[in-house]
């Protein structure tokens, strides 16, 4: 079904702190875990509409970028602890839009594909109807340290 693999909990707000103001502005909230990584949810609102009946691409990108960032923070927190958390600086983001996001709830999560000493590669993805049918996938590179 829609949320196969997504489980409740993880208490990400307690672990990672509140989402950035931009996320709150778009209605993005923590929504459980997928394979141990945070899942974010973003309800559809008219402010997020692009062409009639569809989610605006920038809103999709924002949700997925946020998921990539919190996914990376979660892994780094496990690895380094709060005291030694490295700074994270985005280098680039490439997003592939696979299908139009509809006027429904959207979700996003990420996995870290490579974690080096100074560079992290993150794959983040957004979905609506099913986690197995992403609406967009992003490759993200971060400087860490």
């Amino acid at each position: 079904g829609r949320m196969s693999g997504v489980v409740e909990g993880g208490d990400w707000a307690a672990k990672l702190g509140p989402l950035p103001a931009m996320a709150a502005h778009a209605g993005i909230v923590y929504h459980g875990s997928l394979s141990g990584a945070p899942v974010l949810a973003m309800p559809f609102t008219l402010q997020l509409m692009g062409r009639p009946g569809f989610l605006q691409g920038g809103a999709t990108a924002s949700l997925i970028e946020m998921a990539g960032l919190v996914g990376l923070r979660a892994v780094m927190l496990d690895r380094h602890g709060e005291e030694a958390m490295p700074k994270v600086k985005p280098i680039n983001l490439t997003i592939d839009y696979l299908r139009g996001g509809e006027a429904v709830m959207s979700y996003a999560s990420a996995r870290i594909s490579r974690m080096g000493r100074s560079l992290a590669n993150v794959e983040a993805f957004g979905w609506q109807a099913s986690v197995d049918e992403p609406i967009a996938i992003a490759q993200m590179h971060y400087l860490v340290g």
Side-chain angles (χ1 to χ4, degrees):
R2 155 201 306 252
M3 299 299 283
S4 65
V6 176
V7 295
E8 286 189 24
D11 200 1
W12 297 110
K15 283 183 196 163
L16 302 176
L19 291 167
M22 201 258 27
H25 184 72
I28 299 171
V29 295
Y30 291 111
H31 187 81
S33 303
L34 176 66
S35 304
V39 172
L40 300 182
M42 180 178 71
F44 180 82
T45 64
L46 290 177
Q47 287 90 330
L48 302 179
M49 189 161 69
R51 60 195 161 104
F54 286 88
L55 193 57
Q56 204 271 336
T60 304
S62 295
L63 172 66
I64 292 173
E65 182 183 8
M66 202 67 63
L69 187 58
V70 298
L72 178 58
R73 280 187 54 82
V75 166
M76 288 174 28
L77 196 61
D78 284 347
R79 192 169 288 193
H80 300 283
E82 190 63 60
E83 312 74 42
M85 270 290 273
K87 287 195 170 23
V88 172
K89 182 180 173 195
I91 300 172
N92 67 6
L93 176 151
T94 306
I95 189 158
D96 293 318
Y97 294 98
L98 306 176
R99 52 176 59 90
E102 296 175 20
V104 297
M105 183 74 84
S106 300
Y107 305 92
S109 192
R111 65 182 194 80
I112 312 311
S113 44
R114 181 177 171 275
M115 184 80 181
R117 265 194 218 101
S118 59
L119 194 66
N121 296 353
V122 180
E123 185 178 274
F125 50 97
W127 72 93
Q128 292 180 326
S130 165
V131 69
D132 301 318
E133 295 173 15
I135 60 171
I137 295 176
Q139 298 294 330
M140 307 160 78
H141 301 97
Y142 291 95
L143 272 179
V144 293

